[in-house]
Amino acid sequence: MKAIAIIPGTVGTRIVDRPEPSITSPDEVKVKVKRVGICGTDREEVSGGRADAPDGQKELVIGHEMFSQVVEVGTSVTRVKVGDFAVFTVRRGCDQCAPCLMGRADMCQTGNYKERGIRGLDGYQTEFVVDKEQHLEAVGVLMEPLSIVEKGIEEALRLQAVRSPEAAITPAWIVGCRCLVAGLGPVGLLACMVLRLRGADVFGLDVVGVTSARPKWLNVIGGHYVDGRQVPADQVDKKIGPMDLLVDASGIAALEFNLLDALALNGVYVITGIPGGDHPLQIQGAELVRQLVLDNQVMLGSVNAAHGHFQMGADDLFQAHLRWGAHIGALITNRYSYSQFAESVTHHSPETIKEVIEWA
Ligand SMILES: [Zn+2]
Ligand SMILES: [Zn+2]
């Protein structure tokens, strides 16, 4: 079967032939891959950045945002049957630390975890995949990026419920809260969607024209677009007002720090964007720490997701479809065949939101 592989640490991709995997234990599920999303992590990997091949292998099959159909199940599998649609999660725990043993590899404490398509395990840009039932979740190629968003926002809301007397007695604290999401790629727009579903007043910041695809998508779900070229992050507070919740999905370190200016008293700030490179950055350290302390603020980083976050994502996708219908699917703007992969990772315009490789 065909697969898209890289040699970690080098630039470029290649299409390789791999033996089709088969079920070898009763708790395994074999799926036929239907489509796989492409994100910033894939772009970093194919340009020689963060990625590791499996032990003893030179190549790594990439891809971690998959959508597939079950074609065969092991004898002990109960949650899915042949024909069901499903996704496999990405991270596999170290089997050593408490979070991993509790099924929360996203909070691994040893750092010895693996990730399919990223770190030490082959990924999903291929025709067939076999893995254990416990790593399986339901529906949709947007599930993996959505699970990242669900985790970050849930952590922020839980923190607020513990910290703020108002949020503690008001389960719907987020309703009407002012939230700013920076970086309107798929993760940012999905964050806007999740916050709109919870009743927040949502602002999305990017640096593209107001009539391009991402601001338009945001507009339809009731969000307000902020053009960062006219309202830089450090003027959001002055021009639009302070934000109770900030979500960063930009991966631009300078912006991530500048955004702190927009955070309201008692506010919480979730960062999911991972800056690439090592550009030095000057920050006003004393001023920043002073603000965090005197304004009771939390700045929190969040990566990967647990099974519960995939389930929250599935529920939210269902709600979003009821409310906005086909508009949700319109997040996928570009579809390519596997042979066009090289083109799909380099072509990225303001009109592009989510790119996927169609396998079947
Ligand atoms: Zn991704
Ligand atoms: Zn662990």
Side-chain angles (χ1 to χ4, degrees):
M1 64 173 190
K2 299 279 182 267
I4 299 166
I6 60 166
I7 296 178
T10 68
V11 178
T13 60
R14 56 191 61 202
I15 291 168
V16 296
D17 265 306
R18 288 292 177 95
E20 191 176 313
S22 46
I23 288 184
T24 55
S25 79
D27 60 344
E28 286 180 337
V29 177
K30 178 171 175 176
V31 300
K32 183 169 172 57
V33 176
K34 297 195 77 74
R35 64 182 63 96
V36 181
I38 300 168
C39 76
T41 300
D42 300 289
R43 283 186 204 96
E44 194 185 337
E45 290 181 58
V46 305
S47 55
R50 198 169 62 96
D52 291 304
D55 285 342
Q57 238 175 261
K58 197 174 61 168
E59 289 171 342
L60 172 75
V61 173
I62 61 170
H64 58 278
E65 302 183 358
M66 65 112 76
F67 176 56
S68 66
Q69 190 164 24
V70 175
V71 291
E72 195 185 338
V73 296
T75 50
S76 73
V77 169
T78 56
R79 284 169 52 212
V80 288
K81 57 184 187 312
V82 171
D84 285 355
F85 294 105
V87 306
F88 279 122
T89 58
V90 179
R91 192 178 281 194
R92 302 291 173 263
C94 69
D95 284 336
Q96 295 156 1
C97 72
C100 285
L101 293 170
M102 293 161 83
R104 288 293 307 267
D106 60 308
M107 303 301 277
C108 178
Q109 282 171 339
T110 65
N112 296 329
Y113 59 81
K114 294 181 176 180
E115 288 175 331
R116 293 203 65 159
I118 304 170
R119 190 180 192 205
L121 290 173
D122 279 332
Y124 303 133
Q125 287 286 16
T126 186
E127 294 176 75
F128 293 95
V129 171
V130 169
D131 208 330
K132 293 191 182 301
E133 181 185 17
Q134 58 169 302
H135 304 308
L136 202 72
E137 291 294 342
V139 303
V141 71
L142 295 170
M143 287 293 295
E144 198 279 336
L146 181 54
S147 72
I148 307 295
V149 166
E150 296 285 1
K151 175 178 173 181
I153 291 175
E154 197 216 10
E155 287 183 326
L157 296 187
R158 279 179 182 241
L159 268 172
Q160 289 307 81
V162 174
R163 291 179 345 115
S164 140
E166 192 193 345
I169 57 161
T170 315
W173 170 79
I174 189 73
V175 174
C177 280
R178 294 161 57 81
C179 303
L180 178 80
V181 177
L184 298 180
V187 167
L189 287 174
L190 288 169
C192 294
M193 181 191 88
V194 167
L195 291 167
R196 285 293 299 140
L197 284 175
R198 282 155 186 66
D201 192 10
V202 176
F203 299 82
L205 183 140
D206 209 314
V207 289
V208 291
V210 65
T211 56
S212 63
R214 294 174 239 161
K216 267 164 50 188
W217 194 92
L218 174 67
N219 207 14
V220 172
I221 62 164
H224 319 286
Y225 179 57
V226 180
D227 188 338
R229 296 168 302 185
Q230 279 147 31
V231 185
D234 55 7
Q235 284 175 38
V236 167
D237 186 24
K238 243 176 268 131
K239 296 198 170 168
I240 304 173
M243 300 290 162
D244 303 302
L245 171 64
L246 292 176
V247 178
D248 169 78
S250 74
I252 302 166
L255 172 63
E256 289 169 334
F257 277 102
N258 281 339
L259 268 178
L260 262 173
D261 278 348
L263 194 58
L265 204 63
N266 305 334
V268 57
Y269 178 9
V270 190
I271 303 181
T272 67
I274 306 169
D278 289 308
H279 301 297
L281 174 67
Q282 256 192 350
I283 54 170
Q284 307 287 346
E287 190 187 317
L288 191 152
V289 174
R290 200 157 49 227
Q291 180 194 322
L292 283 175
V293 175
L294 294 176
D295 288 356
N296 274 317
Q297 294 172 333
V298 178
M299 194 174 178
L300 115 99
S302 183
V303 72
N304 199 255
H307 284 266
H309 303 122
F310 277 81
Q311 269 146 23
M312 291 166 70
D315 291 344
D316 278 346
L317 266 189
F318 181 71
Q319 294 297 330
H321 274 286
L322 287 180
R323 191 153 158 193
W324 296 297
H327 183 62
I328 302 304
L331 267 177
I332 300 172
T333 49
N334 302 59
R335 298 165 188 272
Y336 299 92
S337 75
Y338 69 81
S339 57
Q340 297 170 303
F341 185 81
E343 179 191 335
S344 65
V345 279
T346 48
H347 166 91
H348 197 64
S349 81
E351 291 308 312
T352 302
I353 305 180
K354 188 70 184 171
E355 297 133 311
V356 299
I357 299 293
E358 296 282 356
W359 281 92

